[in-house]
Amino acid sequence: MNETPRGPRYQQISRQLKAAIEQGELVPGKRLPASRVYAQELGVSRATVEAAYGELVAQGWLERRGQAGTFVSAGVVPGPVATESVWYGGEQPEPQPFQMGLPALDLFPRAQWARVMGRRLRTQTRFDLALGDVCGEAGLRTAIVEYLRFSRSIECLPEQVFITTGFAASMMLILQTLGKVGDKIWLEDPGFPLIRPLIARQGMTLCPIPVDDEGLCVEAGLQRAPDARFALLTPAHQSPLGVALSLPRRHQLLDWAAHREAWIIEDDYDSEFRYQGKPLPPVKSLDAPQRVIYAGTFSKSLFPALRTAWLVVPLPQVAAFREQASLAACGVPLLWQMTLADFIREGHFWRHLKKMRQHYAQRRQWLEQTLVEQGFSVVPQQGGIQLVMTVEGDDRELARRGRAARLAVQALSDWRIDSRGKSGLLMSFTNISSLAMAQQQVRMLAAIIK
Amino acid sequence: MNETPRGPRYQQISRQLKAAIEQGELVPGKRLPASRVYAQELGVSRATVEAAYGELVAQGWLERRGQAGTFVSAGVVPGPVATESVWYGGEQPEPQPFQMGLPALDLFPRAQWARVMGRRLRTQTRFDLALGDVCGEAGLRTAIVEYLRFSRSIECLPEQVFITTGFAASMMLILQTLGKVGDKIWLEDPGFPLIRPLIARQGMTLCPIPVDDEGLCVEAGLQRAPDARFALLTPAHQSPLGVALSLPRRHQLLDWAAHREAWIIEDDYDSEFRYQGKPLPPVKSLDAPQRVIYAGTFSKSLFPALRTAWLVVPLPQVAAFREQASLAACGVPLLWQMTLADFIREGHFWRHLKKMRQHYAQRRQWLEQTLVEQGFSVVPQQGGIQLVMTVEGDDRELARRGRAARLAVQALSDWRIDSRGKSGLLMSFTNISSLAMAQQQVRMLAAIIK
């Protein structure tokens, strides 16, 4: 197929406009010529100009204001990466320094993975082309059950496991199955910000609950929103502060959920990565009243492009979850699920986790040590794949400056809702592969924020 | 890891119970012994019995009625496959005779696909492990743009294309982006039933609109629900009746949408498969007012386990769709999208479609001819991957009998909402690979329903 003549031409125009915006020639709020006028000026069709404008509107560079015309977007600032792109990956092929939410991309055994998937690919039968179980493949669910039993002291049946395309999809499944418009949900404050719009979009009321050095303040939750229907939290290693939810709080939380018939959503996103001491078992392992929904993901323990996460739901809720899941088929391709099941069953997953714990302990130490040497202070944490350094002053402004220099640090204040407390910068060390690299990146950061 | 001792034991018990239900020893409504009592009887732990019960509750064989105990589900009928399993595939490895929603599994070029994916697998870089664009990979979106231009006369930009994990996920994305609770939506009556619960779950009001020999009766829609926000339809080849929406109706529909600012959702699920005559171009190709959202899928043209579909949205809506899509990352794995883009770009997709059109014309003819020889009448259609045969009497009862004999026919009445009209059985011919197979399956069907 040939490209239409308009293809390259409109892209040429949109590139020129984008460059003009980036170089400050076209400033935010500036009105663009009407497409008819601009088309005459350039000697192209009006559709070509419309296509160029449309592309830039789609990318957020321009905005349309009805009859008034097309304008350079008010919010356009050249360079910086939006918060979303930090989580979901931008268009840059290479991760930026300190970029969060990514495991160590250099250490994943790609060749091993390719062998396991290649074997499945070659032995695929025609029946593997049809849709599988709406809740996920039996083989993968069984592998997850065994992993959870061995590694997280959770006893469950394969039927309780639901395979999804990621944590956001898991949250959607939970809220659509058990929630209704107006339900209240406790959220950790500070806590992972990028899941909030999804929850709000479902019509839920977000109830921020403070976090102290024992984790989520259950007492505050009981006072502020005792009638909440959900509590979403990261008990193993609070994101971002890194504290573990204390045992008394765990029992208090379970008592509340049992008494009020509320649901605890345990986000166990990084519990595999603890480098010293023995972690508390998950709240799910204490779940006698059957009120805990456990959410796990392979995005951190394997890689994000895998698009595979899972839920463990209480037995009495399995039928309701299955009904909701059957409104759409399981989004993870069958071959993908079978490959993952093999990868776990054959021990590659365990070996990889073991290796990563050593590497992450080392990489964390490189970053922490370098920060301390540069006079920064780091919040002590037992594990995890991110780090918080405390700063003086406006952390949002510091983070903005960092991002303008392509350092993907985040402001602790951007993870807060109502809570007040120390300022800080969040950063990841997972892709720092040497002490020299840590030193170079920290020097860049210091030059900008000191 | 070892299996816990309870693993096999509870499954043994649940298998025995299931067999007892299937053989009618335990009838629907029958109360089961309390787990404590039954555990003593069997000499196992109470937890083992609870696990067996739990499994069967999850599978729908048993139901719990609070304090009253555990009962054999009222709805349990041995054998038949639920409607859901027909769409999403049951646990049977092999498709059942006449099973709908499946392309020809025997004819997909698995080896070719494995080669294309194998190449991507081997050359994967570490940057391919991070998340890609929330709307889908540029390469795949461009390949789809070229396919649509060439094959469906649709002109669009890659930015307008959104990659999803299937038609249900596409519908969710549309409704969550553009819809709100209480919005009305026109649905074809009769029409594809399995999407209705998903739409209803979003709080929309379903407005069934009759279909005649020019397709959806737009006039009836204008009378019954002129203020609807959406119209969901299959203009190319109405599912299940097979008529094409006439050109005057297309213009009438577009006028309504433009005037009322409503959205037309064009489900072009099987338009590739027309075996005679030239199809009308899609409504999207006439979409001057920019009110059409075009929904395509690879489930029928490649295979369902691919879990890949797409939307083309009007340019002014791209930003809103992107915002909604960014609440969760794109669910289709990067490697998967890159493989699919290669498969299209290298011409394998075209060759496959061309081959399938010939085979489907042949397979359709085998089934149609055999049905007519057996004295059945078949509704004439220009293409598609399913067929409707008219029957006398209660088609629901006939379909039930068919399914009990593992013939996956569906009743036309089950696709109706309010409409009255002829009775019929819907069936697929895509997996009928010889005239002899058609004859054998039709003989089985005739023996049951005549």
Side-chain angles (χ1 to χ4, degrees):
Chain A
M1 280 161 303
N2 299 316
E3 276 197 321
T4 57
R6 137 181 155 191
R9 191 66 184 107
Y10 90 83
Q11 283 179 345
Q12 224 176 315
I13 298 170
S14 79
R15 265 196 307 273
Q16 285 162 354
L17 287 171
K18 208 186 294 183
I21 298 169
E22 283 186 308
Q23 289 154 18
E25 293 167 31
L26 285 172
V27 296
K30 166 90 185 164
R31 185 174 169 285
L32 272 84
S35 55
R36 192 179 39 75
V37 176
Y38 197 34
Q40 282 178 342
E41 201 176 309
L42 295 172
V44 300
S45 76
R46 187 173 169 189
T48 303
V49 171
E50 273 301 327
Y53 284 7
E55 180 176 61
L56 295 174
V57 169
Q59 294 173 355
W61 294 92
L62 301 183
E63 56 193 29
R64 301 200 199 267
R65 299 187 196 153
Q67 297 296 329
T70 305
F71 295 77
V72 179
S73 295
V76 163
V77 207
V81 179
T83 326
E84 286 73 21
S85 336
V86 176
W87 189 24
Y88 293 123
E91 281 174 321
Q92 297 75 19
E94 191 157 359
Q96 297 186 346
F98 308 124
Q99 189 169 322
M100 289 170 68
L102 281 181
L105 300 180
D106 55 331
L107 296 173
F108 182 74
R110 291 201 306 282
Q112 184 68 61
W113 178 261
R115 267 193 297 276
V116 174
M117 183 171 282
R119 200 175 52 215
R120 277 288 178 187
L121 251 178
R122 287 188 304 274
T123 56
Q124 205 172 202
T125 77
R126 56 177 146 141
F127 306 126
D128 299 331
L129 304 178
L131 286 170
D133 191 305
V134 294
C135 313
E137 279 319 285
L140 178 56
R141 297 161 90 194
T142 304
I144 290 172
V145 164
E146 290 174 2
Y147 157 72
L148 289 173
R149 180 184 299 144
F150 183 82
S151 171
R152 310 294 295 134
S153 308
I154 292 174
E155 284 289 335
C156 63
L157 300 173
E159 287 72 18
Q160 292 175 264
V161 178
F162 287 74
I163 308 295
T164 75
T165 56
F167 177 60
S170 291
M171 280 301 295
M172 277 290 279
L173 180 57
I174 296 171
L175 299 180
Q176 297 237 325
T177 306
L178 300 176
K180 57 180 197 309
V181 170
D183 278 348
K184 292 181 193 166
I185 177 168
W186 294 2
L187 296 180
E188 291 168 322
D189 183 5
F192 185 57
L194 296 174
I195 200 65
R196 289 177 208 150
L198 183 140
I199 298 171
R201 198 82 173 217
Q202 295 303 305
M204 314 264 149
T205 305
L206 280 53
C207 307
I209 309 295
V211 174
D212 64 16
D213 54 9
E214 285 187 59
L216 182 90
C217 298
V218 179
E219 198 57 54
L222 296 177
Q223 281 164 21
R224 295 182 194 180
D227 56 339
R229 178 107 173 120
F230 299 96
L232 169 62
L233 69 170
T234 50
H237 186 247
Q238 203 272 331
S239 177
L241 299 178
V243 291
L245 188 67
S246 70
L247 198 58
R249 293 254 176 104
R250 287 169 192 239
H251 286 297
Q252 199 181 9
L253 186 70
L254 281 164
D255 286 349
W256 163 74
H259 180 62
R260 291 283 191 159
E261 301 200 325
W263 300 107
I264 298 164
I265 305 172
E266 178 169 32
D267 174 10
D268 209 23
Y269 72 111
D270 78 343
S271 59
E272 277 306 334
F273 303 117
R274 188 169 169 114
Y275 317 122
Q276 40 188 305
K278 207 179 137 46
L280 284 169
V283 178
K284 181 69 191 168
S285 70
L286 306 171
D287 185 25
Q290 308 230 60
R291 307 305 304 178
V292 180
I293 297 151
Y294 177 92
T297 175
F298 292 112
S299 289
K300 310 289 187 292
S301 53
L302 292 173
F303 58 96
L306 188 59
R307 310 309 306 126
T308 311
W310 74 87
L311 290 177
V312 179
V313 314
L315 259 182
Q317 268 57 54
V318 165
F321 273 84
R322 176 173 271 277
E323 193 190 327
Q324 178 66 35
S326 74
L327 298 184
C330 179
V332 183
L334 216 61
L335 181 87
W336 214 246
Q337 294 188 56
M338 296 193 298
T339 300
L340 192 44
D342 290 350
F343 196 82
I344 298 172
R345 227 166 6 220
E346 292 168 15
H348 307 303
F349 183 51
W350 307 98
R351 278 191 290 277
H352 180 60
L353 285 178
K354 197 175 157 202
K355 185 176 83 173
M356 296 317 290
R357 272 189 285 268
Q358 291 165 0
H359 281 287
Y360 285 160
Q362 174 70 77
R363 291 179 174 197
R364 187 187 162 92
Q365 196 222 318
W366 283 332
L367 180 57
E368 189 164 354
Q369 174 193 335
T370 308
L371 286 169
V372 170
E373 281 169 8
Q374 285 279 345
F376 294 113
S377 24
V378 173
V379 176
Q381 301 198 7
Q382 297 295 312
I385 56 171
Q386 61 207 31
L387 170 157
V388 186
M389 92 182 205
T390 48
V391 294
E392 299 297 319
D394 182 355
D395 53 4
R396 285 199 176 94
E397 171 55 25
L398 295 179
R400 240 188 317 268
R401 277 196 251 153
R403 285 199 304 268
R406 310 198 77 72
L407 300 175
V409 291
Q410 294 189 31
L412 180 52
S413 299
D414 281 334
W415 285 48
R416 296 189 187 277
I417 308 176
D418 293 338
S419 68
R420 294 280 166 273
K422 52 193 169 196
S423 294
L425 290 180
L426 314 185
M427 51 183 73
S428 167
F429 47 81
T430 49
N431 283 287
I432 294 180
S433 55
S434 66
L435 178 58
M437 189 172 174
Q439 288 167 336
Q440 189 212 352
Q441 294 187 356
V442 170
R443 268 196 304 268
M444 285 168 65
L445 183 66
I448 287 158
I449 68 169
K450 259 189 174 170
Chain B
M1 282 160 301
N2 298 315
E3 277 197 320
T4 57
R6 128 180 161 194
R9 191 65 185 107
Y10 90 84
Q11 284 179 344
Q12 224 175 317
I13 297 171
S14 79
R15 265 196 305 274
Q16 286 163 355
L17 287 170
K18 209 186 293 183
I21 297 169
E22 283 186 308
Q23 289 153 19
E25 292 167 30
L26 283 173
V27 295
K30 166 90 184 165
R31 185 174 170 286
L32 274 85
S35 57
R36 192 179 38 76
V37 175
Y38 197 35
Q40 281 179 346
E41 202 176 309
L42 295 172
V44 300
S45 76
R46 189 174 165 185
T48 302
V49 172
E50 272 301 328
Y53 282 10
E55 182 175 59
L56 294 174
V57 168
Q59 294 173 355
W61 294 91
L62 301 183
E63 57 191 29
R64 301 199 198 267
R65 301 189 194 151
Q67 297 296 328
T70 304
F71 294 77
V72 178
S73 295
V76 163
V77 208
V81 179
T83 324
E84 285 75 23
S85 335
V86 176
W87 190 25
Y88 293 125
E91 280 174 322
Q92 297 75 17
E94 193 157 355
Q96 296 186 349
F98 308 123
Q99 189 169 321
M100 289 169 66
L102 280 182
L105 300 181
D106 56 330
L107 296 173
F108 182 75
R110 291 201 306 283
Q112 185 66 63
W113 178 261
R115 267 193 298 276
V116 175
M117 184 172 281
R119 199 176 52 214
R120 277 288 178 187
L121 250 179
R122 285 187 306 274
T123 57
Q124 204 173 2
T125 76
R126 56 177 146 142
F127 305 125
D128 299 332
L129 304 176
L131 286 171
D133 191 304
V134 294
C135 313
E137 278 320 286
L140 178 57
R141 297 161 89 193
T142 304
I144 289 172
V145 165
E146 290 173 4
Y147 157 72
L148 290 173
R149 179 183 302 146
F150 183 82
S151 172
R152 309 295 292 132
S153 309
I154 292 174
E155 283 290 334
C156 62
L157 301 173
E159 288 71 19
Q160 292 175 263
V161 178
F162 287 74
I163 308 295
T164 74
T165 57
F167 177 61
S170 290
M171 281 300 295
M172 278 290 278
L173 180 57
I174 296 171
L175 299 180
Q176 296 236 327
T177 305
L178 301 176
K180 56 180 198 306
V181 170
D183 278 349
K184 292 182 193 163
I185 177 168
W186 294 1
L187 297 180
E188 292 168 323
D189 183 4
F192 184 57
L194 295 174
I195 200 65
R196 290 178 208 149
L198 182 140
I199 298 171
R201 198 79 173 223
Q202 296 302 306
M204 314 265 147
T205 304
L206 279 52
C207 308
I209 309 295
V211 174
D212 65 16
D213 54 10
E214 285 188 61
L216 183 90
C217 298
V218 178
E219 199 57 55
L222 296 177
Q223 279 163 24
R224 295 182 194 180
D227 57 339
R229 178 106 173 120
F230 299 97
L232 169 62
L233 69 170
T234 50
H237 187 247
Q238 203 270 332
S239 176
L241 298 178
V243 292
L245 189 67
S246 69
L247 198 58
R249 294 253 176 107
R250 286 169 193 238
H251 286 297
Q252 199 181 9
L253 187 69
L254 280 164
D255 286 348
W256 163 75
H259 181 62
R260 290 283 191 163
E261 301 201 325
W263 300 107
I264 299 164
I265 306 171
E266 178 170 31
D267 174 9
D268 208 24
Y269 72 112
D270 77 345
S271 58
E272 277 307 333
F273 303 117
R274 189 168 167 114
Y275 317 123
Q276 39 188 305
K278 206 180 136 50
L280 285 169
V283 178
K284 180 69 192 167
S285 70
L286 307 172
D287 185 25
Q290 308 230 58
R291 306 306 302 178
V292 180
I293 298 151
Y294 177 92
T297 175
F298 293 112
S299 288
K300 310 290 187 290
S301 53
L302 292 173
F303 58 96
L306 189 59
R307 310 310 304 123
T308 310
W310 74 87
L311 290 177
V312 180
V313 314
L315 259 183
Q317 269 56 55
V318 165
F321 273 84
R322 176 172 271 275
E323 193 190 327
Q324 178 66 36
S326 74
L327 298 184
C330 178
V332 183
L334 216 59
L335 181 86
W336 215 246
Q337 295 188 57
M338 296 192 299
T339 300
L340 192 44
D342 291 351
F343 196 81
I344 298 172
R345 225 165 7 218
E346 293 167 16
H348 306 304
F349 183 51
W350 307 98
R351 278 191 290 277
H352 180 59
L353 285 177
K354 196 176 160 201
K355 186 176 82 174
M356 296 317 290
R357 273 190 285 267
Q358 291 165 0
H359 281 286
Y360 285 159
Q362 174 68 82
R363 290 179 175 196
R364 186 186 163 94
Q365 196 223 318
W366 283 332
L367 180 58
E368 190 163 354
Q369 172 191 337
T370 309
L371 285 169
V372 170
E373 281 169 8
Q374 285 280 342
F376 294 113
S377 15
V378 173
V379 176
Q381 301 200 6
Q382 297 296 314
I385 54 172
Q386 60 206 31
L387 172 156
V388 185
M389 92 185 206
T390 47
V391 295
E392 299 296 320
D394 182 355
D395 54 3
R396 285 201 176 93
E397 171 54 25
L398 294 179
R400 242 189 314 270
R401 277 197 251 152
R403 284 199 303 269
R406 310 199 75 71
L407 300 175
V409 291
Q410 295 188 31
L412 180 52
S413 299
D414 281 335
W415 285 49
R416 295 189 186 277
I417 307 176
D418 294 337
S419 68
R420 294 280 165 273
K422 52 192 169 198
S423 295
L425 291 180
L426 313 185
M427 51 182 72
S428 166
F429 49 81
T430 49
N431 283 286
I432 294 180
S433 56
S434 66
L435 178 59
M437 189 172 173
Q439 289 168 336
Q440 188 211 353
Q441 294 187 357
V442 170
R443 269 197 302 271
M444 286 169 65
L445 183 65
I448 288 159
I449 68 168
K450 260 192 173 167

